[in-house]
Amino acid sequence: MSESITNTTKKIHKEEKMGKLLIGSLLGILLMAAGAFAANGDLIVDGNLGVGTTSPLAKLDIQNRSDASSRLLSRIEDLNAAGNGGTELWIQGNSNREIVIANIWTKLHLGASGSGTVAQSLTIDTTGNVGIGTTTPSHLLSVGTGGAGSDGAAWYTSSSREYKDNIQELSAEKASETVRNMKPVTFVYKDIPGYNHVGFIAEDVPNLIATPDRKSLSAMDIVAVLTKVVQEQQKTIEEQQKAYADQRKTMDGLNEKLIMLEHMVNDITGRNMVSSATAH
């Protein structure tokens, strides 16, 4: 026992010379950079504080010493020093699988990683907007960087020109063919039995409105196709109305000419009858 205490004391002295203070067993249960106790008894650490590690990577680094590649709680990081204005909390498991909670400036970020590079997957700003896949949510819920989101009452599909490429006008022929091959059905969802729906089967719709996995549908795609068909039908109706108006105008002209001819015939007939009576 005395030999163990002596070795521990030597270890403490050695660590203190390196600017560190070791408290606990030789396993390094608690390691911190050189610090001091305040007058009120609070512990002040100027450097990094490690629990279960002799090489803390951040202000507070808690590791599972039974598995060097696994950290129960790791890296409470002060980001002000890097000019980011906030704090990060890292929770790391084996093989760099990490969850990161970060408070940067006026936003709370939650991210995960499987390769050591952390992606900010979820963001909450001071207005309560939540972003998934975006760090600048513009809606109550924003998804991705394409402008899609919801304000609680309606869903907004991203449709700005700045998010799109290869823009081409949909032909009337293709839209009409798609509508002809769409098969509306009634159905109930297996998870919500007893509630009837009207719609389409993703596997059965024409390719123009099908999604790559043929498991879901975009309402905007269907609306665009129907809009084109309605526009063409309206165009046909207007052309037919114009043709009808032209025909009506022609018929009115013919009727006027027919009336004039009738008057002329009546005049000629009347004159002939007068001439015949005079001759007798």
Side-chain angles (χ1 to χ4, degrees):
M1 174 67 72
S2 61
E3 181 179 355
S4 175
I5 294 175
T6 300
N7 290 337
T8 301
T9 303
K10 291 180 179 178
K11 179 70 173 177
I12 292 174
H13 290 165
K14 181 179 179 182
E15 294 293 346
E16 285 182 326
K17 290 180 181 179
M18 297 172 60
K20 300 176 180 178
L21 175 63
L22 178 67
I23 302 175
S25 70
L26 294 178
L27 293 178
I29 301 303
L30 178 63
L31 176 73
M32 72 190 87
F37 286 92
N40 61 2
D42 291 341
L43 177 63
I44 301 173
V45 180
D46 293 330
N48 295 339
L49 175 64
V51 177
T53 174
T54 59
S55 302
L57 300 177
K59 291 297 182 183
L60 174 62
D61 193 346
I62 303 175
Q63 296 190 19
N64 178 5
R65 294 295 293 172
S66 64
D67 182 355
S69 64
S70 175
R71 293 176 184 155
L72 300 180
L73 173 63
S74 175
R75 296 177 67 181
I76 296 181
E77 190 85 38
D78 180 9
L79 300 180
N80 285 300
N84 292 324
T87 305
E88 279 187 348
L89 169 62
W90 292 56
I91 302 175
Q92 177 174 321
N94 294 328
S95 303
N96 288 324
R97 290 188 290 272
E98 299 169 337
I99 297 175
V100 179
I101 303 173
N103 177 22
I104 302 177
W105 294 118
T106 58
K107 297 176 182 177
L108 176 65
H109 302 281
L110 175 64
S113 168
S115 61
T117 301
V118 178
Q120 293 177 349
S121 303
L122 186 144
T123 297
I124 304 175
D125 66 16
T126 55
T127 66
N129 288 347
V130 177
I132 300 176
T134 176
T135 58
T136 56
S138 56
H139 300 286
L140 188 60
L141 174 62
S142 294
V143 180
T145 57
S150 173
D151 288 327
W155 180 261
Y156 303 100
T157 302
S158 57
S159 195
S160 172
R161 185 180 297 274
E162 75 175 278
Y163 305 132
K164 301 178 181 180
D165 196 7
N166 194 28
I167 300 173
Q168 299 180 10
E169 184 177 354
L170 176 63
S171 70
E173 292 77 12
K174 187 173 292 186
S176 296
E177 180 183 1
T178 299
V179 170
R180 284 195 297 271
N181 290 298
M182 292 169 63
K183 301 175 181 177
V185 297
T186 61
F187 60 92
V188 296
Y189 284 107
K190 294 179 179 179
D191 293 339
I192 315 175
Y195 188 81
N196 293 324
H197 293 269
V198 178
F200 303 93
I201 304 302
E203 292 87 347
D204 299 338
V205 299
N207 291 334
L208 184 63
I209 58 174
T211 55
D213 61 359
R214 282 192 171 271
K215 294 297 182 182
S216 57
L217 292 173
S218 168
M220 184 62 71
D221 291 351
I222 298 175
V223 169
V225 170
L226 295 178
T227 298
K228 187 64 177 182
V229 171
V230 171
Q231 287 176 339
E232 288 302 308
Q233 290 179 343
Q234 184 63 31
K235 181 180 177 181
T236 299
I237 292 172
E238 290 174 356
E239 291 174 348
Q240 291 175 342
Q241 288 176 338
K242 184 178 182 303
Y244 174 77
D246 292 341
Q247 292 174 351
R248 181 75 184 199
K249 184 177 180 180
T250 300
M251 291 178 62
D252 290 343
L254 292 174
N255 284 335
E256 289 178 0
K257 291 180 179 180
L258 179 59
I259 292 173
M260 291 176 61
L261 289 173
E262 288 179 347
H263 287 309
M264 292 174 63
V265 170
N266 290 336
D267 287 344
I268 295 172
T269 302
R271 286 195 298 268
N272 289 337
M273 290 178 64
V274 171
S275 298
S276 176
T278 303
H280 291 287

